[in-house]
Amino acid sequence: MESKAKTAPQESPREKFIIAARRKNILAKKCSRCGHLMLVTVYCCEKCSSREYETLELEGKGRVVTYTIQAVAPEGFEDAGSYAWVVFNVDGTDLRASGFLPGVISPSSLPIGSSVRVIDYHPTHGLLLQKV
Ligand SMILES: [Zn+2]
């Protein structure tokens, strides 16, 4: 008799990351060996290559480290107008993440160190941020 193992569909790390982002959070993992904190989508520890980790859901708030303003939206971003690709440091950690902040026209509107928060996950653009 043939039996097929039927397993529940597993969410990929990326899907879990998206679900957390929709809750305005950032899903991270902390290496069990060296304590390094990274995004959940990173496969193995960037520092020691360990694959053992615990998952942490962090509040999706941080401060702008660097960014690039795109005044002309590339293909697929036409809905966005001008926006900034922002690298931010997640509050209370040394974890960096990047996201997409619409409505940024000039550097004066987004000083380095500005607070941003995750508000959603955009299927094309990734983390959607809002200035706070
Ligand atoms: Zn490690």
Side-chain angles (χ1 to χ4, degrees):
M1 201 174 114
E2 199 176 328
S3 74
K4 282 185 182 169
K6 203 175 179 186
T7 52
Q10 284 276 315
E11 283 156 353
S12 70
R14 185 182 138 80
E15 284 161 345
K16 288 180 188 162
F17 184 80
I18 292 171
I19 291 163
R22 295 207 162 119
R23 285 198 293 258
K24 307 181 180 7
N25 291 330
I26 289 174
L27 200 60
K29 63 189 194 184
K30 188 178 184 180
C31 175
S32 303
R33 200 195 299 174
C34 75
H36 181 59
L37 197 63
M38 60 220 126
L39 295 178
V40 77
T41 47
V42 177
Y43 180 61
C44 61
C45 179
E46 296 158 319
K47 292 217 166 146
C48 74
S49 302
S50 168
R51 287 175 196 172
E52 282 171 36
Y53 58 87
E54 57 173 311
T55 305
L56 300 172
E57 191 160 328
L58 306 169
E59 203 180 352
K61 281 184 174 172
R63 290 184 185 269
V64 175
V65 177
T66 183
Y67 63 90
T68 315
I69 293 177
Q70 306 283 334
V72 179
E75 204 175 328
F77 285 74
E78 291 89 348
D79 54 323
S82 26
Y83 65 92
W85 272 119
V86 174
V87 176
F88 61 100
N89 204 102
V90 180
D91 283 353
T93 73
D94 57 3
L95 180 69
R96 287 186 175 186
S98 57
F100 159 81
L101 181 63
V104 177
I105 296 155
S106 71
S108 62
S109 61
L110 190 66
I112 297 298
S114 296
S115 292
V116 291
R117 60 165 305 133
V118 174
I119 54 166
D120 201 356
Y121 192 90
H122 189 287
T124 329
H125 311 324
L127 288 177
L128 182 61
L129 305 175
Q130 185 181 58
K131 221 174 121 180
V132 285

